[in-house]
Amino acid sequence: MAEINKEDVVAVLNRILESELAGVVRYTHYSFLVFGFGRIPIRSWLREQADESLLHAQQVGEWITTLGAYPSLAIGPLLDSHTFDIASILRESLQAENVALALYRELLALVEDRSVALEEFARQMIHVEEMHAGEVDKMLRRPGEMTTSAERLASPP
Ligand SMILES: [Fe+2]
């Protein structure tokens, strides 16, 4: 089994760490801004996402030190769009989640057939993040709407 290129792997892991930490801040921030009838369940959902991002950041940070490298203290880009509209919040979250997903795919490409544990971790995270993106996509659909928002954007009516 070929060795991993530690420098490249740590670079991607640090970008993932920064992006997950940005997720913690973003979801927490948005959870304060939910007003209206849906406030209670949506606020809890956003807080759960913040907790999940923190868990992911912690797992990634542990991997970085396991590899004998230094974890980044930086945080990924945060966009304050000053939005209070749930659909915009969800769309912005979906965009950020897709960025994270692409980073986990980058990680998988770097560790595939080189490290069983890191490959397993990358696949597991891709699974979790894809399910999450699918869930957000469903939240963005109107009742009865079967096409995904990605499909809708690709071929507008
Ligand atoms: Fe995540």
Side-chain angles (χ1 to χ4, degrees), residues 1 39 46 72 114 124-125 143 153:
M1 199 183 242
R39 174 171 163 78
L46 289 166
S72 166
R114 287 163 191 263
Q124 207 181 306
M125 298 311 278
L153 287 173

Side-chain angles (χ1 to χ4, degrees), residues 59-74:
Q59 288 173 299
V60 171
E62 291 296 344
W63 261 117
I64 295 168
T65 48
T66 296
L67 294 172
Y70 190 76
S72 166
L73 192 59

Side-chain angles (χ1 to χ4, degrees), residues 69-122:
Y70 190 76
S72 166
L73 192 59
I75 177 163
L78 284 164
L79 178 82
D80 190 354
S81 52
H82 272 273
T83 185
F84 295 85
D85 164 56
I86 308 298
S88 312
I89 290 174
L90 289 176
R91 266 193 296 272
E92 206 178 299
S93 306
L94 191 56
Q95 239 171 35
E97 292 296 340
N98 282 332
V99 170
L101 192 52
L103 285 170
Y104 281 113
R105 289 215 175 94
E106 238 180 272
L107 176 69
L108 178 62
L110 289 174
V111 299
E112 205 164 22
D113 294 328
R114 287 163 191 263
S115 158
V116 172
L118 268 170
E119 183 177 338
E120 185 72 24
F121 175 66

